[in-house]
Every structure is written in structure tokens, then in C-alpha cells.
Amino acid sequence: MRIISRKILREFWEKHPDVRQPLQAWFADVKHADWKKPSDIKSVYRNASFLAGNRVVFNIKGSDYRIIVVVQYRHGIVYVRFVGTHKEYDRVDAKTI
């Protein structure tokens, strides 16, 4: 999968060094994935949550952090829309961010 944008992840882990390794591992996994449908994600990330508009929420480092992405399965693209703490996630609308 092509991930847009790693910069958002990098900026986040620079502020939160404890999540650097989990974010880098997630990035590497997704980069080498070939997701064609939501069940492809679910087979690897059982705790992923699926929302309208091809949005997917991933728990990172247990449930300390969250990533919201939009997946364009047909084109093999994952757009990072949000990365934050669980508390920050609770303050955003995951369906529209």
C-alpha cells in the first residue's frame, strides 16, 4: 500500500517518542500489505474499527494511541487523517476528519 503521509506519523513520534517503534512497525506492515477489501485488514488487525467512507481506526501501542486512515482499496492508497492519543481521539469526529 502507498501511505500518505509519513510526515504526520514522524511529527507525532517526535513529540511522543514512546510510540516511535509501534508507529514505524505499523507503517512497515501497511507499506507491504495489499489490501483489497476490509476483511484483508481485519485478518491482520483484529481490533481495527471500520467506519463509513472507507475509514479505518487502528489502535497503536495497546490502546494508548489511535490512527484514523482512509483506504482507497482500488488504488492501493492509505491516507493518514489523524494520529493521536486515545484522549485526543475522543475529541475528534472520526467519521469526518
Side-chain angles (χ1 to χ4, degrees):
M1 302 297 289
R2 185 170 164 218
I3 304 166
I4 302 175
S5 139
R6 185 174 188 195
K7 180 181 176 185
I8 294 169
L9 300 174
R10 187 180 64 246
E11 289 172 352
F12 188 79
W13 78 52
E14 286 174 356
K15 293 178 186 173
H16 304 274
D18 64 309
V19 76
R20 179 182 187 137
Q21 192 282 324
L23 283 176
Q24 288 177 331
W26 178 87
F27 183 89
D29 286 348
V30 174
K31 183 177 178 181
H32 293 101
D34 185 24
W35 298 335
K36 300 294 183 194
K37 56 193 177 300
S39 62
D40 295 339
I41 297 171
K42 199 67 164 174
S43 70
V44 177
Y45 294 97
R46 291 185 214 157
N47 291 327
S49 300
F50 297 87
L51 309 173
N54 289 329
R55 292 187 184 317
V56 184
V57 180
F58 294 92
N59 294 320
I60 304 296
K61 196 176 176 233
S63 194
D64 293 346
Y65 299 93
R66 300 280 175 93
I67 298 175
I68 302 171
V69 302
V70 175
V71 181
Q72 286 192 348
Y73 297 98
R74 191 168 144 203
H75 300 290
I77 300 173
V78 174
Y79 295 93
V80 177
R81 304 296 299 156
F82 169 86
V83 59
T85 65
H86 192 120
K87 188 175 183 177
E88 292 167 336
Y89 170 81
D90 288 341
R91 291 185 291 212
V92 301
D93 183 356
K95 297 173 190 163
T96 60
I97 195 166

